[in-house]
Amino acid sequence: MAEAHQAVAFQFTVTPDGIDLHLCHEALRQVYLSGLHSWKKRFIRFKNGIMTGVYPGSPAGFMVVVVSYMSYNQYKQLDPSLGLIAKLIYTLVSTDQYMSTNSQSIVGGVLVGTGLWVTIIMIMRNVLKCLLSWHGWMQARHGSVSWSTHVWMILVKIFSGRKPMLYSFQNSLPRLPVPSIKDTCRRYLESVRPLMDDEQYERMKGLTEDFKKNLGPRLQWYLKLKSWWASNYVSDWWEEYIYLRGRAPIMVNSNYYAMDFLYVFPTSNQAARAGNTIHAIMLYRRKLDRAQIKPIYLLANKVPLCSAQWERMFNTTRIPGLETDTIQHVNESKHIAVYHKGRFFKVWMFYDGRLLLPREIEQQMQRILADESEPLPGEERLAALTAGDRTPWAKARETYFSRGKNKQSLDAIEKAAFFVTLDDTEQGYDAKNPVKSLDRYAKSVLHGKCYDRWFDKSFNMIIFKNGTMGLNAEHSWADAPIIGHLWEHVLSMDPKLGYTEDDHCNGDPHPNLPGPQRLQWDIPAECQETIESSLTVARTLADDVDCHIFPFTEFGKGLIKKCRTSPDAFIQIALQLAHYRDKGKFCLTYEASMTRLFREGRTETVRSCTMEACAFVRSMIRDETREERLRLLKLAAEKHQNMYRLAMTGQGIDRHLFCLYVVSKYLGEDSPFLKEVLSEPWRLSTSQTPMQQLELFDLVRHPEYASSGGGFGPVADDGYGVSYIIVGENLINLHISSKYSSPETDSHRFGANIRQAMLDMLDLFQLNNKAK
């Protein structure tokens, strides 16, 4: 064991002749290499911190400014220090004998030149912030760019600097604006109009008008004050009140999942797949530590998005509390935690001062798989505490895991880079039974056995017995696109790292590699009862989840774009049509959008059930002409795109109302309007999983490397959760969830309705093309 090696680095015995020291040179070497690695990492972070802090400035720019300033003053025979150095020296020591005139000129010139360089940086940064505050480019039709947008793009390029790193643009991003009370109330009433009859609408209109005239302006004043003071007026409250203060299980209710390739099975060797996967993740972490990951952009790599959420991807755990949880993040972690058949292991990721290679990680995983030791009492189902209600877990953690070996073992899990489960089940797509195999696979990555995932970790890597893999992510620290970026990297690296003909990772095992460390526990009977109680709660929740995953292969975004329609709008309107056919009514619909155009932005809600979408759906139910249906569809798609633009640019409805509600609670004010708004259930919750690194996948030549995407549990007990990923030009994967206990929902039935709705909508365009 690595600890064992370090422990015996220094041994000594006391004899009558004195103290006899025994040194283990190999252990000393490992200690030295480990320390060297840590100092290198600190230096890189320090350097990157400086480079990010002065961006869009650079060392080359500094030299150009200082040398140019000194040369100009030399040519004009001026004092580059403007006399400041002489005055400063005279003030401090009453004489200038300690520095010659020439030295004063050089030092003063460097100082003034540095000040000039910093001034230029601040000007560029603020100009860029102003440029990024303009969102007129989003109003242009797809494929067309106005002259004003062209000029704007050139200016953004000029002021964006050269070779930005991941966090370079953080100080140049604008702050999320606070919409006006008037606009938010107007958009809210517009969004609920199709869901209410005349009487209900008039009542809500009265509540809205009362709020707008009386309490609203007072709450708005406090919210604007916060927006001027804080980096983002939403994100900290959203993280705390929506995620961390929730006392219900985070499994299913909050955590989400990602799945493996749909049609490709790189290897059936579980340890080998784990070796390549873990190595790929650690390479990503190294790039993240060095800020070598490229910033994420929109509009042809011109508009940067906020990168703040990447900071807590690794070495992060959600810690339970009695009233609110907290997020624990450590700067450095050199190990991972692994679970297999009821045992927990600590596996070091570095040896000889370097990252373990894939074959060496496979070697460690194989040692765990070959370990036949039995779980300690209470150990097998320990992770069920993270799957149940939060308060019992917080009490148990404080009572049983705050000291001794239990604390040491819990620290090993919570401070690990991430968590790995070597699952003893086989999952994945089965061509002989495609429906049930994918549904079973989704449920496994969403909740597993309820005790074989550590749901509090930032993410869990799950490697199944047949070599298929999946991922389960905790939601409070970041949103799905962030973990999706990592997942795309992992999937793309697997074919590159490759496997040998006998299904092992490339390379050779390490002859002297210390084995994994088995974590030790002393779990009393009272704690075991709490574990079983949490497991009962978690199983009740997990068994009620109805998951259905299906690849929609009839057409994809390529054909939708030929119809001059946004693929996202097309799918969202299809969901409205499918839901009406499924339940015979419309419902409040949540589509997740992002606000990462702003500093520390996270998400905003697009209320997809619009008046225009409902009008189109009714036309599909009634006996309308194809031309009328097509006209209404185009109006609905245009409305949806406009709603999405508003959400992305900080003019959404729900985050503003949420923050107003939080302010009202701080002030002790009761608002019937806000209370009713925030109690409305989202019976259709949807999200698109974007593909962000298209250059990593050649789906034209290798369509088999299509990702399955990911999904989440239902938000409402009588509603649906729908996640979809648009893969290439010809495939859309959909993930549907609901609850068996609801007589109103059926994931398979809803999936069939979605499929038929999309086909019916495309027929409108195909018939139109034939008519032409």
Side-chain angles (χ1 to χ4, degrees), residues 533-593:
S533 177
S534 293
L535 181 58
T536 300
V537 171
R539 278 178 171 168
T540 301
L541 177 61
D543 292 343
D544 197 24
V545 177
D546 176 15
C547 284
H548 178 47
I549 286 78
F550 71 95
F552 183 84
T553 56
E554 284 80 352
F555 61 88
K557 75 173 182 181
L559 198 53
I560 298 174
K561 284 185 174 181
K562 289 181 180 178
C563 300
R564 297 183 180 276
T565 304
S566 158
D568 183 71
F570 185 95
I571 296 171
Q572 284 292 326
I573 296 168
L575 292 176
Q576 293 301 316
L577 177 56
H579 188 274
Y580 192 88
R581 288 173 172 174
D582 185 80
K583 290 188 175 183
K585 58 185 178 181
F586 298 107
C587 73
L588 192 61
T589 304
Y590 182 113
E591 181 189 6
S593 173

Side-chain angles (χ1 to χ4, degrees), residues 705-718:
Y705 283 102
S707 169
S708 303
F712 52 89
V715 174
D717 290 339
D718 56 349

Side-chain angles (χ1 to χ4, degrees), residues 394-669:
K395 292 178 179 178
R397 188 178 186 276
E398 176 63 29
T399 304
Y400 305 112
F401 298 92
S402 59
R403 64 191 67 85
K405 64 174 67 174
N406 286 351
K407 185 180 187 307
Q408 292 179 355
S409 295
L410 184 63
D411 278 348
I413 295 173
E414 292 180 340
K415 294 180 180 179
F418 55 94
F419 192 86
V420 176
T421 294
L422 297 176
D423 203 296
D424 57 359
T425 66
E426 297 186 1
Q427 304 292 344
Y429 177 79
D430 183 358
K432 297 179 181 178
N433 194 357
V435 176
K436 287 187 177 180
S437 62
L438 284 176
D439 295 352
R440 185 173 59 247
Y441 179 19
K443 281 182 68 69
S444 182
V445 288
L446 179 61
H447 56 68
K449 298 175 183 175
C450 303
Y451 60 80
D452 53 354
R453 322 274 188 259
W454 199 270
F455 293 100
D456 286 352
K457 285 299 291 182
S458 54
F459 66 91
N460 289 245
M461 272 306 309
I462 305 150
I463 313 294
F464 295 100
K465 191 175 181 180
N466 59 340
T468 304
M469 65 180 180
L471 180 145
N472 184 287
E474 201 277 317
H475 208 326
S476 64
W477 64 274
D479 301 308
I482 310 304
I483 206 72
H485 194 273
L486 164 68
W487 193 238
E488 290 173 5
H489 167 84
V490 172
L491 292 177
S492 69
M493 284 295 293
D494 202 74
K496 297 174 184 176
L497 293 173
Y499 301 91
T500 63
E501 292 182 357
D502 55 349
D503 261 1
H504 289 289
C505 296
N506 289 311
D508 299 310
H510 196 294
N512 302 315
L513 186 64
Q517 175 188 350
R518 174 78 185 275
L519 299 184
Q520 300 299 312
W521 309 91
D522 182 13
I523 303 174
E526 297 84 356
C527 183
Q528 294 180 39
E529 291 178 3
T530 304
I531 292 171
E532 291 301 317
S533 177
S534 293
L535 181 58
T536 300
V537 171
R539 278 178 171 168
T540 301
L541 177 61
D543 292 343
D544 197 24
V545 177
D546 176 15
C547 284
H548 178 47
I549 286 78
F550 71 95
F552 183 84
T553 56
E554 284 80 352
F555 61 88
K557 75 173 182 181
L559 198 53
I560 298 174
K561 284 185 174 181
K562 289 181 180 178
C563 300
R564 297 183 180 276
T565 304
S566 158
D568 183 71
F570 185 95
I571 296 171
Q572 284 292 326
I573 296 168
L575 292 176
Q576 293 301 316
L577 177 56
H579 188 274
Y580 192 88
R581 288 173 172 174
D582 185 80
K583 290 188 175 183
K585 58 185 178 181
F586 298 107
C587 73
L588 192 61
T589 304
Y590 182 113
E591 181 189 6
S593 173
M594 63 90 178
T595 55
R596 286 166 51 217
L597 289 169
F598 305 96
R599 188 172 183 180
E600 296 181 17
R602 290 197 61 165
T603 61
E604 178 57 277
T605 305
V606 180
R607 294 184 168 224
S608 302
C609 186
T610 61
M611 292 287 290
E612 290 79 1
C614 292
F616 165 73
V617 169
R618 291 191 183 98
S619 76
M620 295 295 287
I621 304 302
R622 297 194 305 260
D623 186 17
E624 292 283 359
T625 64
R626 175 185 56 79
E627 290 78 7
E628 178 64 10
R629 289 172 173 174
L630 189 57
R631 183 185 71 84
L632 292 172
L633 174 56
K634 290 181 177 179
L635 287 175
E638 186 177 340
K639 177 65 176 181
H640 181 270
Q641 284 184 277
N642 186 50
M643 295 284 288
Y644 207 98
R645 293 188 195 104
L646 288 172
M648 286 183 64
T649 54
Q651 300 300 314
I653 301 168
D654 291 276
R655 299 302 178 269
H656 185 205
L657 292 177
F658 161 75
C659 289
L660 290 171
Y661 179 77
V662 174
V663 174
S664 74
K665 290 301 177 183
Y666 278 126
L667 296 178
E669 297 283 356

Side-chain angles (χ1 to χ4, degrees), residues 196-317:
M196 296 179 176
D197 58 31
D198 292 343
E199 183 180 346
Q200 291 172 325
Y201 180 72
E202 288 301 320
R203 174 183 166 275
M204 180 53 73
K205 189 175 180 180
L207 290 175
T208 306
E209 290 298 323
D210 178 71
F211 173 78
K212 186 167 61 174
K213 292 178 181 178
N214 297 309
L215 182 60
R218 183 182 173 205
L219 303 180
Q220 180 81 343
W221 185 87
Y222 283 98
L223 206 55
K224 284 192 173 181
L225 184 64
K226 185 191 177 187
S227 73
W228 297 333
W229 178 255
S231 300
N232 189 294
Y233 79 92
V234 175
S235 295
D236 58 336
W237 284 350
W238 186 255
E239 179 179 297
E240 179 179 357
Y241 292 106
I242 297 300
Y243 294 116
L244 298 180
R245 290 213 177 191
R247 300 295 84 197
I250 61 174
M251 182 199 76
V252 174
N253 292 325
S254 179
N255 285 32
Y256 54 94
Y257 66 87
M259 296 167 68
D260 204 351
F261 292 123
L262 187 58
Y263 303 117
V264 173
F265 303 92
T267 179
S268 59
N269 184 331
Q270 185 178 18
R273 191 74 195 278
N276 273 354
T277 300
I278 294 170
H279 183 74
I281 294 174
M282 295 302 294
L283 288 178
Y284 186 93
R285 191 183 78 157
R286 184 165 68 185
K287 290 177 67 177
L288 182 60
D289 287 340
R290 297 176 179 179
Q292 293 174 341
I293 295 174
K294 296 178 181 178
I296 310 300
Y297 295 91
L298 295 180
L299 191 65
N301 292 339
K302 295 296 189 300
V303 184
L305 299 180
C306 178
S307 302
Q309 294 181 56
W310 264 269
E311 294 173 358
R312 298 183 293 182
M313 177 177 286
F314 294 96
N315 324 333
T316 300
T317 301

